[in-house]
Amino acid sequence: MAPFGKIYSYPNNFRVERAQVAAAFNGLEVPLAEGFQMGVTNKSPEFLAKFPMGKVPAFEGADGFCLAEGAAICTYLALAGPKKAQLVGADAKTQALISQWTFFAESELSSALLPPAIMTLFKMQPFDEQKYNSSVASVERALKRLEVALEGGKKYLVGDNVTLADIMVAGPLYFGSKFLIDAEMRKNVPNVVAWLKGLSALPEFKAFGELVLCETRQKA
């Protein structure tokens, strides 16, 4: 089967991986674009003609359709195949609940995890303990919200099947569990851990790679 499209990005970007998970549920192949160089490819005139902000991830369909912004790419791939009703919802209320978790993933999880990652994982900025502790508190707050949502042994955030809500929220958690969401943090959110482990066993989630649960959070 020919690829449905390609995604421009650097490797191991959870925003790309979750798009590939959404694509997998619809039986779509969406590989990384070959030869992409961050800071080079995305600054070229050819790239900027398609994606004026020069940001990644960026999607280019086999039909020439171009789309930026990670959440938009995931939503498009969820809508682009036979599982669209399951993934994005078949009625207005279900769709709204899934959108709620999509925004939660971006505004509460991704935004809180990226500052510590930039300081400790990527070493792109000097370590700032106040900013680090503030981010940790924000992550813990978001995890508590998730823990409540998953009470009663719920396997999925919305309804009785995997939806885009699960995929969007799992992405930053897979990422954060490698370096920040450690054993101490996890002991307070057993429902979240069980939910994440359940998702990791699904074949469509293989784009995320192995679920790595760090024992001690990474600092400077």
Side-chain angles (χ1 to χ4, degrees), residues 140-162:
E140 290 176 333
R141 179 172 175 266
L143 288 174
K144 287 177 183 177
R145 170 68 184 96
L146 268 175
E147 182 71 7
V148 172
L150 293 165
E151 282 179 349
K154 285 184 65 177
K155 293 183 178 181
Y156 310 109
L157 286 169
V158 180
D160 299 321
N161 291 290
V162 172

Side-chain angles (χ1 to χ4, degrees), residues 29 51 79 113 170:
E29 184 183 349
F51 310 102
L79 286 165
L113 286 165

Side-chain angles (χ1 to χ4, degrees), residues 37-49:
Q37 290 181 275
M38 190 66 187
V40 178
T41 306
N42 59 312
K43 291 184 177 181
S44 68
E46 294 81 7
F47 188 92
L48 294 172

Side-chain angles (χ1 to χ4, degrees), residues 6-11 13 16 31-44 47-48 51 54-59:
K6 58 187 175 182
I7 299 180
Y8 297 91
S9 178
Y10 51 86
N13 182 345
V16 173
L32 279 174
E34 294 181 3
F36 178 84
Q37 290 181 275
M38 190 66 187
V40 178
T41 306
N42 59 312
K43 291 184 177 181
S44 68
F47 188 92
L48 294 172
F51 310 102
K55 293 169 59 178
V56 298
F59 170 84

